């Protein structure tokens, strides 16, 4: 039973529809929570309080208020913009981020599409985001946007290589591209998780993957495509209102995607850390989301601590540090497997 | 394959840009992301300070001086009142001199905190900025308890001060010094010696000492290039000669001498030196009346005077001509930011757009001071 919804509702129209909308509900809720957390976490890291008034208790309603504000805003499209592409771009970016959710195993009983090439699919579908961002930068007809888009194209394409190579190392160990199988291979107590020394090289793999994934989500210290102190707002400089919000939503959705993939690949996915204690389909979802959110927290933590790389330093890190290490890592994992049988 | 045809692009940075530190417009000629030329366009914040000054009497000019470099108002006033006092040839009480020095040094720290904090933000580190503002807040509180204002003080008057220091000021200043020393260390750990920060700023925007001197640069911008030039020591005014402190200069520790990191670090070191001056001054403030030397009416004899002093940004000079009436005939301010900004094209050619931000930030301009 990979998907409890299609199990009960059948795999007809109704089942597919409910099954594909479930992650959407999750992304929306999560985005609101994550925006609130980002506001609060950054505030507490910076010795201030953050929103305190909206909704009385610690400003909990701030994200809702923000969304309401963005919904009411005038939808402006620059006169010189390429209208069709300008409108299409944010949708494409969101589609790219959201499509990845189909292959994330939220629990043993729920995965949108239990495909054999799960990881492969996520990498492939995330690449659509680059297209959307390039489109946004080009269609805005603004020099800052264009610079941001050019940076993004270079950055995302470069960092896909170390991140794919890192994923490949895990795939070699498990012998399957299916994310459910990856989770199943790490069952039992938390020392069975790949990050903790079952295979010593997988810890390095995790560091490589996590660094590269930060760059893929355009988060600090790799947020140069939107570097607000340099490029104003990068590729989404001209976007306002809900169109801007969609970019924002896609960024947060993407943050969770990479965090979820990292927790599936290295932290046991939906497995409980305590063997069979607190495990099962419902607890599975709880564990995956908790692990994902923990990694999202790390992403925020890094963002509010580190300065930003420069474009050439970013390329240096990808091609001369991460990629060689990832290649060496694959070789080492392979050697280990051959020697250990 | 035939060679690709490429074009240079003209990019307008500002006047509404998050990192030009106000309303500065820079016309960038870029080849891809490489800066071929940078031409600063100024004047968006011009408020006719010099012309205004001709239409009012000497005392009334002080609040306008506040508004020139609004991050170091105390230092601006200090230079102006020194000039007027020289024109009138009056001696102010020792107590006034001490309080002026303490206020100016506190102001220097506050101003450098903004410079350092916003510089971190230019490089992409948001958090140190708020830490710096937290500490600056304590200085502003001290100013507020003294004269009621937090940004534009009108505190120094020709011949004296608007208020004496209130009770509790000395203790609070000491508490601030005690709090601030460890904070500088924290700032260094978080930002100054951060690997990414060093990579972004070292070897970027190198200003050789000779070019700096030729352009007339001053303040931390010049000292970052290793030139030991500080008017507080080289042309002492007020009571600065009584204190023991060192001029902070760039060392080229992380890269080349005179790069952005040096210019940044000089400010951090200068904050420590300012603390030393305040520490020595705060315990030795002589007794006296801070308003005893204030003239009832200022009507200097015809003549002219040029007085320079060291503000947080460099050498601030006032040239005042008196025609014997109660209004100055002419007031000319030589603003450090204006002169330092003229260096920009010289030190930014050949670097990337991202470096351009680092260079503008490291020169530390205040547009109010550039345009006046």
């Amino acid at each position: 039973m990979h998907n409890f919804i299609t199990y009960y509702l059948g795999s007809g129209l109704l089942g597919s529809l409910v099954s594909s909308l479930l992650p959407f509900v999750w992304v929306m809720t999560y985005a609101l929570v994550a925006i609130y957390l980002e506001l609060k976490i950054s505030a507490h890291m910076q010795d201030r309080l953050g929103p305190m008034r909206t909704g009385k208790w610690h400003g909990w309603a701030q994200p809702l208020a923000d969304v309401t504000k963005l919904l009411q805003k005038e939808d402006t499209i620059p006169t010189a913009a390429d209208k069709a592409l300008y409108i299409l771009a944010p949708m494409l970016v969101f589609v790219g981020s959201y499509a990845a959710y189909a292959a994330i195993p939220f629990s043993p009983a729920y995965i949108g599409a239990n495909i054999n090439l799960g990881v492969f699919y996520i990498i492939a579908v995330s690449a659509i985001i680059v297209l959307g961002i390039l489109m946004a930068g080009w269609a805005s007809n603004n020099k800052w946007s264009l610079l941001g888009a050019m940076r993004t194209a270079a950055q995302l394409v470069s960092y896909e290589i170390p991140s794919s190579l890192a994923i490949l190392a895990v795939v070699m160990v498990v012998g399957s591209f299916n994310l459910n199988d990856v989770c199943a291979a790490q069952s039992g107590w938390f020392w069975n998780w790949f990050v903790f020394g079952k295979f010593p090289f997988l810890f390095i793999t995790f560091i490589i993957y996590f660094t590269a994934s930060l760059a893929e989500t355009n988060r600090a210290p790799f947020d140069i495509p939107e570097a607000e102190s340099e490029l104003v707002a990068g590729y989404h400089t001209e976007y306002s209102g809900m169109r801007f919000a969609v970019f924002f939503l896609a960024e947060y959705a993407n943050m969770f995607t990479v965090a979820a993939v990292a927790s599936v690949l290295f932290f046991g996915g939906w497995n409980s850390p305590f063997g069979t204690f607190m495990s099962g389909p419902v607890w599975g979802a709880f564990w995956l989301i908790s692990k994902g959110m923990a990694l999202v927290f790390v992403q925020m933590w890094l963002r509010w601590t580190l300065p930003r790389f420069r474009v050439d330093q970013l390329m240096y890190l990808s091609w001369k540090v991460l990629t060689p290490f990832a290649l060496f890592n694959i070789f080492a994992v392979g050697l280990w497997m051959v020697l250990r049988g | 394959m035939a060679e690709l045809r490429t074009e240079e692009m003209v990019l307008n940075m500002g006047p509404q840009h998050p990192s030009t530190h106000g309303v500065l417009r820079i016309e960038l000629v870029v080849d891809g992301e490489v800066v071929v030329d940078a031409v600063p366009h100024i004047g968006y914040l011009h408020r006719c300070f010099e012309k205004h000054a001709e239409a009012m009497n000497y005392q009334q000019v002080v609040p306008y001086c506040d508004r020139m470099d609004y991050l170091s108002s105390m230092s601006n006033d200090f230079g102006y009142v020194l000039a007027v006092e020289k024109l009138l040839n009056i001696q102010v009480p020792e107590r006034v001199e001490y309080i002026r020095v303490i206020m100016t040094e506190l102001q220097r720290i506050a101003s450098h905190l903004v410079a350092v904090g916003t510089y971190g933000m230019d490089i992409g580190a948001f958090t140190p900025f708020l830490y710096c503002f937290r500490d600056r807040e304590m200085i502003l509180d001290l100013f507020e308890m003294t004269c009621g204002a937090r940004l534009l003080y009108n505190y120094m008057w020709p011949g004296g001060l608007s208020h004496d220091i209130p009770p509790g000021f000395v203790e609070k200043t000491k508490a601030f010094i005690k709090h601030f020393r460890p904070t500088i260390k924290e700032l260094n750990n978080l930002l100054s010696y951060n690997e990414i920060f060093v990579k972004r700023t070292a070897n970027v925007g190198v200003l050789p000492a000779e070019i700096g001197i030729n352009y007339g640069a001053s303040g931390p911008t010049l000292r970052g290039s290793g030139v030991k030039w500080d008017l507080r020591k080289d042309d002492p005014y007020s009571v600065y000669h009584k204190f023991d402190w060192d001029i902070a200069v760039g060392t080229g520790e992380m890269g080349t001498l005179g790069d952005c990191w040096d210019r940044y670090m000089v400010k951090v070191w200068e904050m420590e030196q300012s603390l030393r001056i305040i520490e020595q001054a705060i315990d030795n403030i002589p007794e006296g009346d801070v308003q005893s030397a204030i003239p009832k009416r200022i009507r200097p004899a015809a003549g002219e005077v040029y007085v320079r002093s060291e503000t947080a940004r460099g050498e601030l000079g006032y040239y005042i001509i008196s025609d014997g009436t109660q209004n100055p005939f002419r007031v000319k301010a030589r603003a450090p930011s204006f002169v330092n900004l003229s260096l920009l094209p010289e030190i930014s050619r050949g670097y990337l757009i991202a470096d351009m931000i680092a260079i503008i930030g490291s020169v530390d301009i205040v547009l109010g001071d550039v345009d006046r």
Side-chain angles (χ1 to χ4, degrees), chain A:
Chain A
M1 187 176 76
H2 297 300
N3 187 333
F4 71 97
I5 293 168
T6 45
Y7 182 80
Y8 290 118
L9 296 178
S11 51
L13 186 65
L14 183 69
S16 317
L17 207 62
V18 175
S19 177
S20 58
L21 278 180
L22 198 62
F24 191 69
V25 174
W26 158 246
V27 170
M28 287 301 177
T29 341
Y30 148 79
L32 290 180
V33 173
I35 290 168
Y36 177 72
L37 285 179
E38 179 110 57
L39 290 171
K40 279 308 214 187
I41 288 170
S42 67
H44 286 283
M45 281 177 184
Q46 295 166 346
D47 209 13
R48 59 194 174 91
L49 291 170
M52 286 301 283
R53 300 189 181 218
T54 330
K56 298 260 191 281
W57 184 81
H58 285 255
W60 68 272
Q62 189 61 46
L64 293 175
D66 284 348
V67 169
T68 319
K69 180 199 76 177
L70 287 170
L71 274 170
Q72 290 170 348
K73 278 201 165 184
E74 187 190 347
D75 176 34
T76 51
I77 299 176
T79 333
D82 185 330
K83 210 170 167 190
L85 291 183
Y86 184 87
I87 293 171
L88 188 62
M91 299 182 198
L92 208 59
V93 171
F94 183 70
V95 164
S97 324
Y98 181 59
Y101 279 78
I104 293 174
F106 274 93
S107 109
Y110 181 76
I111 176 165
N114 190 29
I115 38 181
N116 285 331
L117 286 171
V119 202
F120 195 72
Y121 165 79
I122 289 179
I123 297 174
V125 97
S126 306
I128 296 179
I129 298 172
V130 190
L131 195 61
I133 289 177
L134 261 179
M135 227 182 232
W138 179 255
S140 301
N141 208 352
N142 173 320
K143 288 169 183 171
W144 299 109
S145 305
L146 184 62
L147 278 174
M150 291 194 310
R151 285 179 174 192
T152 316
Q155 172 179 341
L156 264 59
V157 171
S158 310
Y159 275 84
E160 255 162 29
I161 293 162
S163 97
S164 312
L165 287 175
I167 290 175
L168 206 60
V170 180
V171 169
M172 279 166 68
V173 174
V174 182
S176 165
F177 276 105
N178 188 319
L179 285 171
N180 250 342
D181 294 350
V182 177
C183 288
Q186 304 173 71
S187 61
W189 287 75
F190 58 85
W191 53 78
N192 284 343
W193 294 354
F194 286 148
V195 72
F196 295 126
K198 187 174 186 180
F199 288 85
F201 300 108
L202 286 188
F203 183 73
I204 306 170
T205 319
F206 167 66
I207 301 290
I208 294 171
Y209 176 76
F210 194 70
T211 318
S213 73
L214 280 177
E216 278 191 75
T217 49
N218 297 338
R219 295 286 291 185
F222 307 105
D223 59 344
I224 59 158
E226 46 196 280
E228 81 273 1
S229 58
E230 296 157 24
L231 299 185
V232 191
Y235 59 86
H236 57 59
T237 305
E238 294 288 356
Y239 283 84
S240 65
M242 220 39 213
R243 287 187 215 287
F244 161 75
V246 170
F247 277 121
F248 209 62
L249 183 66
E251 181 186 323
Y252 276 86
N254 213 3
M255 274 166 74
F256 186 78
T257 312
V258 294
V261 170
S263 43
V264 167
L265 293 176
F266 303 100
F267 292 91
W270 36 254
N271 283 304
S272 156
F274 317 109
T276 50
F277 177 66
M278 286 168 82
S279 68
V282 180
W283 281 114
F286 168 78
W287 287 120
L288 183 94
I289 288 171
S290 312
K291 289 168 188 172
M293 288 308 271
L295 288 174
V296 167
F297 169 73
V298 177
Q299 292 178 2
M300 291 178 183
W301 182 9
L302 288 171
R303 169 165 179 187
W304 297 109
T305 310
L306 296 176
R308 181 184 304 122
F309 277 107
R310 202 172 55 206
V311 107
D312 56 326
Q313 291 162 349
L314 188 92
M315 290 297 151
Y316 179 92
L317 186 69
S318 170
W319 292 105
K320 295 197 170 168
V321 181
L322 291 180
T323 308
F325 263 97
L327 280 170
F328 167 77
N329 192 45
I330 287 186
F331 173 74
V333 171
L335 201 66
W336 178 273
M337 285 170 66
V338 170
L339 294 180
R340 283 294 182 93

Side-chain angles (χ1 to χ4, degrees), chain B residues 112 115-116 220 263-271 361-362 364:
Chain B
H112 280 347
V116 163
R263 284 197 286 278
Y264 161 86
M265 210 53 199
V266 162
K267 292 180 197 115
V268 177
W269 288 328
E270 264 183 25
M271 292 198 283
S362 74
D364 184 27

